[in-house]
Amino acid sequence: MILLVDPGYRSGSLPRDEFVLPVVRIVERSGMSWIYRHYDDMDDEEVLDIQGIIICGTALKDNHFIAHVDRFAWLNGAMVPVLGICAGMQILCLTFGGSVKEGCEIGMTEVNVTVPHPLLPPPPSFQAYELHSFSCDPPPGWETLAVSCGCVQAIHDPNRPRFGVMFHPEVRNDRVVEVFLEMCGD
Amino acid sequence: MRLGVLCSGGKDSLYACYRAMQEEEVACLITMKPKNPESYMFHTPNLHLVPLQAEAARLPLVSVHTEGKEEEELVDLAGAISIAAERHGIEGVVTGALMSVYQSSRIQRICRDLDLWCFNPLWYTDPDAYMERLLTSGFRVIVSGVFSAPFDASWLGRELDHRAVKDLNAYVREYRITLTGEGGEYETLVLDAPFFQKRIVIEKSEIHYRNYRGVLDVKQAHLEER
């Protein structure tokens, strides 16, 4: 069971259709079951019975979650693999000691792989869909796996299977999500 | 949140409108009328029926002409959205974009420049599930244009019902078209929707078809009680 966390401004709001449901399609295609939770509705117990967590993205103008990042403190106790996509990567950064700053990218962008990793397409680079108004400074000790001209694009906690990607893998880079799901199935 | 829906008159923009109404307040429709039939962003048959759809939905319409040249039409679109924001107080824009990164990125940039929200509720949606939802939620949709093999002239004016979707699925397998017409293989016109107060009735139309390309040109239509 994969837990899909919606960081959108309201449970079930329009960003869920645009940023969570496309990830649902990939999870279902991979033969895994899933459960949807808005971040406001999370409680610690739910984190115990799942194989992996994906924190999805939200609308470009939606930054409500930044003011409520304390509601993601449960991530500290999550022992299963975690993938943060866009807003999800920003949440991982803020939860584990990194920071976010203004930095906008929209549309297909060249992403350069700095540290080859099975999660990402092979080096030297790949095209990815971007839709973010903030970028990340990774938490201390986390590895930067990929960058664009504008910002850090992929990060990894070397001590735990926690990953963040700033691009949207559900658009033209499904394989990133599929590889993550394979990690959850192991 | 008050929203303006970019409307081409086809199933995707009006289904996106329907979905937006379930979560927020739709304040107006916005339509672009390109003079260039090869418009990169906005071309679709029967755009002249969008005012009738707006009337059927009892929504105000912001309609702006554009020359339909590649980058100039984006300036015109930004102008139309600005007018909608000024006249109707919209805080965001809704589109029926399915998978077009080209269209979506451009509209996202315009909305960012105007400090507006941008929503694409059909983005990367499951095509089968979407078509099923469309058929079962009270929409009446016809095919208004075909632009690829193997569509013949009988598709023009054909209602999108379960049988039509079954035929489209056969084309998906045999000819690798997209089920939703995302690849521009066919265009649609919405005659009725769950949020319409009246339905559109076509009185006079002409079919123009040649070599797997054709349109249903609606010459006269009116609204009737549902």
Side-chain angles (χ1 to χ4, degrees):
Chain A
M1 171 89 74
I2 300 297
L3 171 64
L4 297 166
V5 182
D6 178 0
Y9 60 90
R10 192 178 69 229
S11 179
S13 60
L14 292 173
R16 184 199 62 146
D17 297 32
E18 189 172 343
F19 299 97
V20 181
L21 297 186
V23 179
V24 165
R25 280 184 72 191
I26 302 172
V27 173
E28 288 183 342
R29 245 187 359 243
S30 298
M32 300 185 85
S33 57
W34 55 275
I35 182 169
Y36 165 89
R37 282 288 180 278
H38 186 262
Y39 74 93
D40 260 350
D41 302 328
M42 283 295 300
D43 63 54
D44 293 343
E45 287 170 24
E46 276 173 326
V47 181
L48 298 175
D49 296 326
I50 46 137
Q51 294 165 273
I53 300 165
I54 301 177
I55 309 171
C56 300
T58 185
L60 188 64
K61 198 172 155 57
D62 186 1
N63 296 303
H64 287 74
F65 64 87
I66 291 179
H68 304 291
V69 80
D70 56 311
R71 293 183 195 169
F72 291 89
W74 53 268
L75 278 169
N76 284 288
M79 305 305 284
V80 296
V82 180
L83 173 64
I85 296 172
C86 194
M89 172 164 154
Q90 295 170 47
I91 288 161
L92 285 177
C93 278
L94 291 168
T95 301
F96 293 103
S99 60
V100 298
K101 60 192 176 195
E102 282 200 18
C104 180
E105 288 176 312
I106 298 172
M108 296 309 291
T109 300
E110 186 86 357
V111 173
N112 298 297
V113 178
T114 51
V115 177
H117 191 281
L119 191 77
L120 300 176
S125 65
F126 60 96
Q127 288 283 312
Y129 181 65
E130 308 283 345
L131 189 64
H132 59 90
S133 49
F134 285 86
S135 62
C136 289
D137 286 326
W142 285 44
E143 200 171 25
T144 295
L145 303 178
V147 297
S148 65
C149 285
C151 66
V152 174
Q153 288 289 329
I155 55 173
H156 170 223
D157 178 350
N159 300 312
R160 290 271 180 85
R162 293 174 181 145
F163 302 89
V165 290
M166 187 54 78
F167 61 91
H168 286 267
E170 70 275 20
V171 178
R172 300 190 185 183
N173 280 296
D174 297 21
R175 186 68 193 142
V176 172
V177 181
E178 289 166 0
V179 171
F180 174 76
L181 295 172
E182 286 164 13
M183 289 180 200
C184 300
D186 288 343
Chain B
M1 191 186 304
R2 287 172 69 79
L3 300 172
V5 178
L6 293 183
C7 185
S8 66
K11 62 179 172 48
D12 304 333
S13 51
L14 283 159
Y15 192 89
C17 179
Y18 173 57
R19 176 71 189 112
M21 284 172 162
Q22 292 169 339
E23 297 296 335
E24 309 290 348
E25 180 189 357
V26 173
C28 66
L29 301 181
I30 303 166
T31 192
M32 303 299 294
K33 299 177 78 174
K35 289 178 187 165
N36 175 4
E38 302 300 326
S39 162
Y40 287 86
M41 293 280 287
F42 310 119
H43 177 61
T44 184
N46 297 309
L47 269 171
H48 62 282
L49 293 178
V50 174
L52 213 52
Q53 292 173 327
E55 192 184 336
R58 291 190 184 162
L59 286 170
L61 174 67
V62 174
S63 179
V64 171
H65 281 89
T66 176
E67 289 294 327
K69 293 175 187 168
E70 188 170 5
E71 294 303 326
E72 284 174 30
E73 62 185 2
L74 295 175
V75 176
D76 296 333
L77 175 61
I81 294 172
S82 295
I83 291 169
E86 205 175 288
R87 278 190 205 158
H88 304 293
I90 63 166
E91 302 158 80
V93 167
V94 178
T95 88
L98 291 167
M99 292 179 81
S100 170
V101 165
Y102 176 88
Q103 286 188 340
S104 173
S105 302
R106 279 158 177 74
I107 295 168
Q108 290 277 5
R109 285 194 194 102
I110 288 170
C111 289
R112 179 177 162 81
D113 290 346
L114 296 173
D115 194 27
L116 294 172
W117 292 75
C118 182
F119 298 113
N120 303 281
L122 290 172
W123 189 239
Y124 275 67
T125 192
D126 178 82
D128 293 293
Y130 165 44
M131 294 298 266
E132 184 60 25
R133 286 199 306 271
L134 184 75
L135 296 187
T136 55
S137 52
F139 280 83
R140 187 157 176 258
V141 181
I142 60 168
V143 175
S144 56
V146 295
F147 305 99
S148 82
F151 289 103
D152 61 28
S154 72
W155 278 92
L156 294 169
R158 181 174 176 181
E159 184 167 346
L160 272 189
D161 53 16
H162 280 101
R163 197 171 160 192
V165 171
K166 193 177 167 194
D167 290 344
L168 286 173
N169 263 311
Y171 291 177
V172 169
R173 289 188 296 272
E174 287 176 44
Y175 297 89
R176 303 184 67 82
I177 68 154
T178 60
L179 179 64
T180 55
E182 163 69 10
E185 300 95 337
Y186 70 94
E187 297 280 356
T188 59
L189 174 68
V190 172
L191 299 180
D192 200 1
F195 56 92
F196 280 13
Q197 307 294 317
K198 294 182 176 180
R199 64 190 178 95
I200 294 174
V201 176
I202 295 173
E203 292 169 55
K204 271 189 205 168
S205 63
E206 288 175 7
I207 284 176
H208 305 281
Y209 179 88
R210 191 178 173 188
N211 298 336
Y212 300 115
R213 294 177 68 85
V215 292
L216 176 81
D217 185 6
V218 177
K219 295 291 185 189
Q220 209 171 322
H222 68 271
L223 293 179
E224 259 183 23
E225 296 300 326
R226 300 176 78 197

